[in-house]
Amino acid sequence: MSERGLNTVSFAGHVASSAQFKSIYAEGMGLVEETASYLDGVGRQASKVLPRMASVLYAAESMRLTTRLMQMASWLLLQRAVNNGEMSRDQILSEKSKVRLDSFNVDKTAPGWNDLPEAFRDLIERSLRLQNRIALLDREIYRPEDVQTFQPDNQNSVQAQLNLLQTAFGNS
């Protein structure tokens, strides 16, 4: 490995164990829990009384929100695994190729957006801000010239996520 590569690994390890990472990790996992609680409770009730356009938008946006959060949680778990010495850089690069941090944007001009519950829109906004912060951290750790391009097999995205989570938690 070149000296430059050694510096990159060291930097990645430093960032993953930094207070910045710990803060983002806690925020991300907290947002996952908060969103799950909202969607299973108050949000479920609120969605039942929405006008038709808002109801359709709510269904679509709740799927995007959930997917966005799962992608971020996967990334955070991978970084924690690297920090704890549970995965090598090659393993992380292979698994990281399945994580998308640059998609799932929101169209706030869509019909029905303003009819969505304020708490739901707030969760979406917070997830987007966190997604941007995680994507920035990802770019700091894994500069494009340091990362090989991986093409995932023809797995569906749900199976890819399950495999990623299984890798992060081990084969229990």
Side-chain angles (χ1 to χ4, degrees):
M1 187 183 282
S2 71
E3 183 175 316
R4 181 168 188 247
L6 291 172
N7 290 339
T8 302
V9 171
S10 174
F11 178 68
H14 174 71
V15 171
S17 65
S18 71
Q20 177 189 14
F21 174 76
K22 290 176 183 172
S23 172
I24 287 176
Y25 182 87
E27 182 181 348
M29 294 307 181
L31 189 57
V32 167
E33 288 179 25
E34 181 182 348
T35 300
S37 176
Y38 175 84
L39 292 175
D40 285 340
V42 174
R44 185 179 310 242
Q45 295 305 313
S47 70
K48 291 179 181 179
V49 298
L50 291 174
R52 179 164 165 52
M53 288 302 291
S55 180
V56 170
L57 184 59
Y58 182 92
E61 290 301 330
S62 63
M63 289 291 283
R64 285 187 192 110
L65 174 60
T66 301
T67 302
R68 183 182 314 112
L69 289 170
M70 290 307 296
Q71 293 290 317
M72 289 188 289
S74 295
W75 188 91
L76 290 167
L77 289 168
L78 285 171
Q79 295 313 307
R80 188 179 73 173
V82 167
N83 188 45
N84 293 338
E86 298 164 2
M87 295 178 77
S88 70
R89 181 161 175 85
D90 288 341
Q91 289 172 315
I92 189 80
L93 291 175
S94 176
E95 293 301 321
K96 195 177 99 50
S97 70
K98 301 171 189 172
V99 178
R100 297 281 176 247
L101 297 173
D102 57 355
S103 55
F104 313 114
N105 289 324
V106 174
D107 180 7
K108 297 175 190 167
T109 63
W113 176 260
N114 292 327
D115 293 325
L116 294 174
E118 184 177 343
F120 181 65
R121 287 182 289 158
D122 180 61
L123 288 169
I124 292 171
E125 289 292 331
R126 290 168 46 208
S127 74
L128 290 169
R129 284 193 303 269
L130 184 60
Q131 177 187 32
N132 287 333
R133 288 174 38 219
I134 289 173
L136 179 61
L137 186 56
D138 181 70
R139 286 189 297 273
E140 287 176 13
I141 296 171
Y142 304 99
R143 296 181 201 120
E145 63 273 10
D146 296 332
V147 178
Q148 299 175 19
T149 304
F150 290 89
Q151 294 298 325
D153 357 358
N154 290 332
Q155 297 177 325
N156 67 44
S157 60
V158 173
Q159 185 61 49
Q161 281 300 301
L162 290 174
N163 291 344
L164 187 58
L165 290 170
Q166 184 178 32
T167 299
F169 288 113
N171 295 333
S172 333

